[in-house]
Amino acid sequence: MSFWKDETVLVTGAHGFVGQNLMKLLNEKQSIEGFKILAPTRQELDLTQQGQVATYFAEHRPSIV
């Protein structure tokens, strides 16, 4: 059984320098392991807004951040 199977992974900063490289690795692994990746932009999720973060987590329920 895979660690990643049926997990939902939230990657904050996925569109920055480090995050883009992490996303390449996760996308490769995703095609083999079968998990969901959430990679919201700054416009989609403002991490400085507690209410917005709570709503996002309630809606998407990531299991790995």
Side-chain angles (χ1 to χ4, degrees), residues 9-15 23 37-57 59-60:
V9 180
L10 171 61
V11 181
T12 61
H15 305 280
M23 287 299 294
I37 299 173
L38 302 172
T41 64
R42 207 175 284 175
Q43 290 75 30
E44 295 171 323
L45 176 60
D46 184 347
L47 294 173
T48 67
Q49 300 299 314
Q50 184 177 0
Q52 203 178 104
V53 173
T55 300
Y56 189 89
F57 269 68
E59 183 178 325
H60 297 284

Side-chain angles (χ1 to χ4, degrees):
M1 184 164 161
S2 169
F3 170 82
W4 299 96
K5 183 153 177 56
D6 299 324
E7 298 292 342
T8 300
V9 180
L10 171 61
V11 181
T12 61
H15 305 280
F17 177 74
V18 174
Q20 286 179 356
N21 290 292
L22 175 61
M23 287 299 294
K24 287 178 190 175
L25 295 171
L26 286 175
N27 282 322
E28 290 172 11
K29 186 170 260 328
Q30 178 188 34
S31 65
I32 298 167
E33 302 286 340
F35 58 94
K36 182 178 179 181
I37 299 173
L38 302 172
T41 64
R42 207 175 284 175
Q43 290 75 30
E44 295 171 323
L45 176 60
D46 184 347
L47 294 173
T48 67
Q49 300 299 314
Q50 184 177 0
Q52 203 178 104
V53 173
T55 300
Y56 189 89
F57 269 68
E59 183 178 325
H60 297 284
R61 305 188 56 78
S63 49
I64 300 171
V65 180

